[in-house]
Structure formats: C-alpha cells, structure tokens
Amino acid sequence: MRSRIFFKLLLAFVLVVAVATATLDIVVRRAWEKSLRGEIERSLTQKTRLVAARVTHTPTESMAAVIQEEAQAAGARATVIESSGKVLADSEADPQTMENHATRPEFRAALAGGVGVDARRSRTVGIPFLYVAVPIPGGAVRLAYPLTEIEETTAGIRRGLLQGSALAVLIATLLAAVLAQSIAGRLRRIVEFAQRVAGGDLSARVAERSSDEIAQVAASLDSTARQLEHSFRAVEDSRQQLEAVLNGMQEAVIAVGPDGHTQWANGRMRELVEGIRVGAPLVETVRQPELLRAVDEATARREVRRARVSGVVPGRTFEVTAAPLAAGGAVAVLHDLTEIERVEQTRRDFIANVSHELRTPLTSIQGYAETMLEAGAGGEAGREFLEIIRKNASRMARLTEDLLTLARVESGERAFELRPVEPGELLEEAVQSFREAARARHVELVIENQAHHPVLADRDSIHQVFSNLIDNALKYSLEGRRVVVGARQPEAGGPVEFFVRDQGPGIASDHLPRLFERFYRVDRARSRESGGTGLGLAIAKHIVLAHGGTIRAESELGHGSTFVFTLVGAAREAAVAERGAGG
C-alpha cells in the first residue's frame, strides 16, 4: 500500500514540477527575452543615430577608420551602405567582397526615411545579429549587434531552471516518501479496523487526531461500528429472549431452511425427536409424511399449512402448524393433542355411558306416568303432577337421546353410508315429514331446487340435519309466513348448498358465532317452552362436517334467518378418485 501511495504522490509532484518548469520556460523566459531584446534594440537605435550623424560629416577616404572607431565604441558591427545597396565600409569585412544589400529589410526601411530593424543570421559572419539602420544622405548607416550573448544567457537560465526542477523533484520524492509513509500508516489502521469489524469484533475503534478527509472517514467508520454494535447487541438480546421463550414452550418448534435443512429446534423438539442436528436435512430425523408435507407446502406456497400427525412419537398425536419464514423455509409448531383427545374421549364416553344408563329409568318413569294418567289415579291434583312428571321425563329422554347421538357422531362411532343422492330427493323427504306440523302452525313450507347434480350423502343423517333446521324454523315462524327449503350450486362442479330460510324475528349478530355450540340458546325461556334440548344445531354441525361439508347461519334482526350447509358433489368426488387412481 505504501509503495502505491508513494508512486502516486511522486507522479503528482513530478507533474506539478514539470508543468511549473514548462510554464517558466515558455512564459517567463520569452517575456525576459522580449524585454532584453527591446532594451538592446532601443540602445542600438540610439547608437546608430550617433554613428550616422558622424558619418554624414566624414569624407569618404576617412570613412573606414571612423566606422572602425564607432563600431568599437558601440560594441557592434558598423556598416555604411549607399542608396544602390553597395557597401561602402564595414567594420568586420572587406566591402569589396560583400554582396549588395539593396534587399535587406532594415536597409529598405531606412531608405524609406524610417528606422529599419531586423534580426537574422548573417551570411557573411554566420552568427545571428540584430540589425538597426538609419538613413543618411545617399544611403544608410547600419549597426549589427550579435545575439549570441542573449542565447548564451537564455541557455544559462534554462540550465538553472532545469537544475532547480531536478532539485524540486528530489525534494518532492522525499516529501512523497514521508507523506506516503504517514498516509499508508493511517490507512493501514483503518483497514485493520475494517477487517476486525468484518470478523465480528464490533468493539474495534480507529483513533484519528487530525481533521482532514481521512480522519473524517475514520470518524464515520467509528460511528458506523458503534451503531452496528448497538444494533447487533439489540438483535442478540432479542434472539436470546426469543430462544428462551421458545425453549420454555411446551410445544415443539423447529425451523427449516428453503433447502430442507434444519436451522433451529427448541428444547421440547429435541426431547421428542432424538438426533436432530442443525444443518442436516429434516427428512433424516423426521420421517412423518404429513409433517414433511406441511413444511414443504408452507415453504413453496408461502402459506400457513396445518396437519394432524401421529407418527412423530409413538402413542402421541400432534397438530402441526407450518408457517413460511421471510427469508425462505418454514417454522413448524407441534402442539400435543394426546391429553386433550384423551380427556375429550373420556368426556364423550362419560356422556354416552350416562345417557345410556339414564334411558332405562327415564323410559320407566315416562311409562308409569302415562299408565297412571290413563288409569286416572290421584284425582285432579294427582293428574297435574303426573303430567308434569311425564313431560319432564319425556324431555330428559330426548336430551339423553340427543347426547348419545352427538357423542356417536363426534367419536366416529356412527358410520355414514355415503351414496350419490339427488338434491331434490333429500328436499322432498325433509319437507314431507313436516307438512302436517307446518299446516298446524299455519306456515307455508316451500321447496326451491336449483341444483340438479347428485351429492354424496347418508340419507338418514342428512334427514336428521334437515329435521333440526326445519323444526327450528317452524318454531320461530309467525302464522301466515313461509319457510323455504332449497338447494343451489353456485359453481359448476362445486359443492351443493342446501338452505332453510324462515321469516322469523331473526338472530342478533353477536349470537351467530356460537349458534352451533352444544346447549347454546338465543332465547332460553322460549327454547325450554318449545321442548328443545339445545343440541340440535350441534348435532347438525358434526353430521355435516363428517360429510366433508360446512354449515353456517345468516341472519339479521327483523329479517328472518337462513341456515346453509354444503355437501360435496358426487361427480366431483368421482373425478378426484379417478385422478388419484390414475396417478
């Protein structure tokens, strides 16, 4: 680094010295030469005028001696030329051997009445001269001053300039070496600082006491390192907190990169699955297809995927939620459902057992009460009490029957025979069972069928769904109104929607999310009076879900209610099965 900086600085200094030298040589030297030459020209002009004045009064025979004397006094070569250009006298050459000077520029200018000046190399002597000629009667007098002194002086000045430039280059070399050493040392400290920061040492600092640009760069890098250290410390603290939280979770958590390799796993995950290694493919330690599929789909589709897995740990069931990571890959959370399912199964078994055990005594109570009523036992007061006993025993019998039905549906104990059925047949069977009840309540029961493709359904179970929905609609419908039972298919080849719509008082929106919960009643007093158990909608929901459909309620106060459930089309299910078999 120091060598490169040294050569760059030296080159810059040499260029500056060279430019300065050339500038002095071209500009200053020429100005000095011009000034010196002008001074010589003025002096030579005066001397020529003095020589001309003396020559004018000198006889021809004495002219050679006068010219020699004046040339020696003026320090210049003197020449007398007549108007024809013939040289009459010359201080340094024989006039007889000299050529005609009629074409000389300075002579022609003098004959014209002015002062002629010209600089050229003499053909006679062979050195450069400055010629100045002034007119005299019958010709001109000319003095020639040799310019060799100016050239010698200029050459000396140029030699001095080059010597100074060489000294300047030497000084520049020393200065470049010193500056290169200083700058290289400062830059080396900055480079070492940058390398330490790049290596992860964010506590590194670089000290610069000066205020030049390099110091400003160092100060900026120092500030950047401090900010990075602060940010990295905050990120590290957040990471440690997050890791502590994840390790403290009861749920198992594992992060998988876009390449399918494990990036991180919390303590619970390591307890459940032994041999998990960070950086190793997930498939090497976890062979459960549903879990791997959920992670792959979350990574590829960038959507949350859920799955139920039971093979990760023998005897345990987990609910897996796989969510995509911003940088690619996915994070999977395994929630242990084993204990929840065990408790739920215990609850269902308890309800089923209790309900089953209650059926016999309730049937006996109901039977004895009806027998005593028919026999007229107890008189008028006794008949009233017996009627109350019969009604409540009947209600408890319906409740136990509904509890048994719900428990069997939830546990999967009740088997459904799914067969293709026309929607119109299901609607007709449902309405047929309630025509008399509707007529007794003065309510019109109407069928609207817009679906003409068969669905997969268990007739008896779907009839039970319709029975619960239609029974509720009739209970809450006013006289003279209508209840519409229908079917529609919003999308060709899609699921068929069945609905039961009434014109009753409607249901407030805050009740809608809980309508299908067991024992939930919107109007508790009216529900008890009508003999409802609070389980009808819950049973309907679980039957529809077991068919692979959905169920919902749509209502608004004062505008009636509509209960909608969907069933899968038989044609679509057959096409899916055929594609699966072909694959």
Side-chain angles (χ1 to χ4, degrees), residues 134-411:
V134 295
I136 60 174
V141 174
R142 185 185 73 181
L143 290 183
Y145 185 83
L147 297 178
T148 53
E149 293 184 7
I150 297 178
E151 290 182 350
E152 291 175 357
T153 303
T154 302
I157 292 174
R158 182 170 292 175
R159 284 192 300 273
L161 187 60
L162 291 176
Q163 291 173 357
S165 298
L167 180 60
V169 169
L170 178 60
I171 295 173
T173 302
L174 297 176
L175 184 60
V178 173
L179 290 177
Q181 179 70 23
S182 174
I183 295 174
R186 297 172 67 186
L187 293 179
R188 191 181 299 108
R189 289 195 298 272
I190 294 177
V191 170
E192 291 174 354
F193 158 78
Q195 290 175 345
R196 290 177 61 189
V197 172
D201 183 10
L202 298 181
S203 63
R205 296 292 181 267
V206 55
E208 281 289 338
R209 297 180 180 178
S210 61
S211 58
D212 57 6
E213 287 78 1
I214 295 178
Q216 293 175 5
V217 171
S220 298
L221 291 174
D222 258 357
S223 177
T224 302
R226 290 190 184 91
Q227 293 178 1
L228 285 174
E229 184 179 17
H230 177 73
S231 301
F232 185 79
R233 187 180 296 113
V235 170
E236 182 63 20
D237 291 343
S238 299
R239 187 192 66 80
Q240 292 177 357
Q241 292 175 4
L242 179 60
E243 186 172 348
V245 170
L246 292 175
N247 281 323
M249 290 175 59
Q250 290 300 315
E251 289 78 10
V253 182
I254 185 168
V256 182
D259 56 355
H261 289 65
T262 302
Q263 292 183 337
W264 186 85
N266 71 344
R268 180 60 176 164
M269 188 69 189
R270 296 178 186 275
E271 291 176 5
L272 293 176
V273 182
E274 296 182 358
I276 287 183
R277 293 181 294 109
V278 174
L282 178 63
V283 71
E284 290 184 0
T285 52
V286 178
R287 302 297 180 88
Q288 222 293 326
E290 285 78 6
L291 173 58
L292 297 175
R293 186 181 303 111
V295 172
D296 291 342
E297 290 181 356
T299 301
R301 300 183 182 180
R302 311 297 298 165
E303 296 176 353
V304 176
R305 284 289 181 269
R306 291 180 173 83
R308 187 184 183 88
V309 297
S310 56
V312 176
V313 178
R316 290 181 177 270
T317 302
F318 296 90
E319 181 185 33
V320 177
T321 301
L325 294 172
V331 59
V333 180
L334 282 70
H335 181 64
D336 194 346
L337 301 178
T338 306
E339 186 63 21
I340 296 175
E341 289 193 343
R342 187 190 65 79
V343 173
E344 186 66 20
Q345 184 62 42
T346 302
R347 181 189 66 81
R348 285 196 295 265
D349 292 343
F350 173 77
I351 292 174
N353 292 334
V354 170
S355 300
H356 182 73
E357 293 299 325
L358 287 174
R359 291 175 71 182
T360 300
L362 287 174
T363 302
S364 298
I365 294 171
Q366 187 178 0
Y368 282 118
E370 291 175 352
T371 301
M372 293 179 71
L373 283 171
E374 291 176 0
E380 190 64 29
R383 289 180 60 85
E384 182 179 353
F385 293 144
L386 288 172
E387 183 63 29
I388 292 173
I389 292 172
R390 186 193 65 80
K391 287 178 61 177
N392 282 281
S394 177
R395 182 170 178 273
M396 289 186 67
R398 289 196 304 273
L399 179 60
T400 55
E401 190 65 34
D402 285 349
L403 283 171
L404 275 172
T405 302
L406 182 58
R408 288 168 181 168
V409 172
E410 285 182 331
S411 64

Side-chain angles (χ1 to χ4, degrees), residues 6-235:
F6 168 74
F7 285 118
K8 289 180 180 179
L9 289 174
L10 180 60
L11 178 61
F13 289 157
V14 169
L15 287 176
V16 170
V17 172
V19 170
T21 302
T23 302
L24 290 174
D25 183 61
I26 295 173
V27 178
V28 177
R29 179 181 59 80
R30 289 186 178 181
W32 179 83
E33 285 183 353
K34 183 177 180 181
S35 175
L36 181 60
R37 186 167 174 173
E39 183 64 28
I40 293 173
E41 182 179 331
R42 287 190 295 274
S43 175
L44 193 61
T45 301
Q46 293 177 356
K47 292 178 179 181
T48 304
R49 291 181 184 276
L50 293 175
V51 173
R54 185 176 178 186
V55 168
T56 301
H57 301 88
T58 301
T60 304
E61 59 275 7
S62 303
M63 189 171 294
V66 171
I67 288 298
Q68 287 289 341
E69 182 181 344
E70 290 296 333
Q72 186 175 2
R77 178 183 178 184
T79 305
V80 179
I81 309 167
E82 67 177 3
S83 58
S84 63
K86 180 181 178 182
V87 177
L88 298 177
D90 189 88
S91 62
E92 295 184 7
D94 185 3
Q96 301 299 322
T97 60
M98 296 176 66
E99 61 183 7
N100 191 282
H101 284 36
T103 59
R104 299 295 192 271
E106 69 279 4
F107 175 70
R108 296 175 61 183
L111 289 182
V115 177
V117 180
D118 189 29
R120 64 180 181 276
R121 188 173 295 277
S122 172
R123 297 178 182 177
T124 305
V125 182
I127 60 174
F129 281 92
L130 175 65
Y131 296 96
V132 176
V134 295
I136 60 174
V141 174
R142 185 185 73 181
L143 290 183
Y145 185 83
L147 297 178
T148 53
E149 293 184 7
I150 297 178
E151 290 182 350
E152 291 175 357
T153 303
T154 302
I157 292 174
R158 182 170 292 175
R159 284 192 300 273
L161 187 60
L162 291 176
Q163 291 173 357
S165 298
L167 180 60
V169 169
L170 178 60
I171 295 173
T173 302
L174 297 176
L175 184 60
V178 173
L179 290 177
Q181 179 70 23
S182 174
I183 295 174
R186 297 172 67 186
L187 293 179
R188 191 181 299 108
R189 289 195 298 272
I190 294 177
V191 170
E192 291 174 354
F193 158 78
Q195 290 175 345
R196 290 177 61 189
V197 172
D201 183 10
L202 298 181
S203 63
R205 296 292 181 267
V206 55
E208 281 289 338
R209 297 180 180 178
S210 61
S211 58
D212 57 6
E213 287 78 1
I214 295 178
Q216 293 175 5
V217 171
S220 298
L221 291 174
D222 258 357
S223 177
T224 302
R226 290 190 184 91
Q227 293 178 1
L228 285 174
E229 184 179 17
H230 177 73
S231 301
F232 185 79
R233 187 180 296 113
V235 170

